[in-house]
Amino acid sequence: MSLNLMPQEPWEYAVCGGLLAFAGYLVVQIIREATKPPPVPPPPPKPKEKRGFTASDLAQYNGTQGKPVYLSCKGTVYEVSSVFYGPDGPYHAFAGKDATIPLGRMDASGGGANEAWEGVLSPDDQGVVDDWDAKFAMKYDVVGWFIPPWKENDNKSSD
């Protein structure tokens, strides 16, 4: 008994030809994939230009009217757009303000916002606000600095 692997019927030639074509297609695809250059990562987003914010400038960034939420802590303005600081969030009282004093005192009403904080906070409160500032610095983008109301005229005269 001999085993004949050569096609005998015309349909067998068609099946063998189809299988050979499919095998060739697979080989080409494997070679293409192996020689494909690695994908180029997208360029990093362009950093926002940092600027100074007066209390009235900062007040515009409270998460309403389609604007993001900014807050200042120890003079640094962060973009904190999230459910926590947005219009219905538990920390919305800090949105659009320098929240150094309320954060240090854990005053969720926002009392003391935009007020001079240097030398005002107790050592314990200062430690709390330092912790908040470190958290913001790790988690959120810095968009600028806060120009307190008592220094606005100084800033305008230097322009």
Side-chain angles (χ1 to χ4, degrees), residues 42-102:
K46 186 177 179 182
K48 293 180 182 178
E49 189 171 319
K50 295 176 177 75
R51 69 181 191 93
F53 290 87
T54 64
S56 60
D57 293 335
L58 194 56
Q60 297 174 32
Y61 294 91
N62 63 3
T64 61
Q65 299 176 348
K67 289 195 175 186
V69 181
Y70 293 175
L71 73 74
S72 172
C73 182
K74 294 176 55 178
T76 302
V77 179
Y78 298 96
E79 181 177 349
V80 296
S81 299
S82 73
V83 295
F84 296 112
Y85 302 96
D88 295 325
Y91 300 118
H92 183 66
F94 306 144
K97 298 175 183 151
D98 177 75
T100 305
I101 290 176

Side-chain angles (χ1 to χ4, degrees), residues 31-41:
I31 291 171
R32 276 189 187 160
E33 195 63 33
T35 59
K36 186 189 271 185
V40 177

Side-chain angles (χ1 to χ4, degrees), residues 82-137:
S82 73
V83 295
F84 296 112
Y85 302 96
D88 295 325
Y91 300 118
H92 183 66
F94 306 144
K97 298 175 183 151
D98 177 75
T100 305
I101 290 176
L103 287 169
R105 294 180 177 163
M106 299 299 291
D107 180 358
S109 73
N114 296 335
E115 294 180 10
W117 58 272
E118 292 172 323
V120 172
L121 296 170
S122 71
D124 288 342
D125 292 346
Q126 185 65 50
V128 171
V129 83
D130 289 344
D131 290 345
W132 275 104
D133 192 49
K135 179 191 281 188
F136 291 141

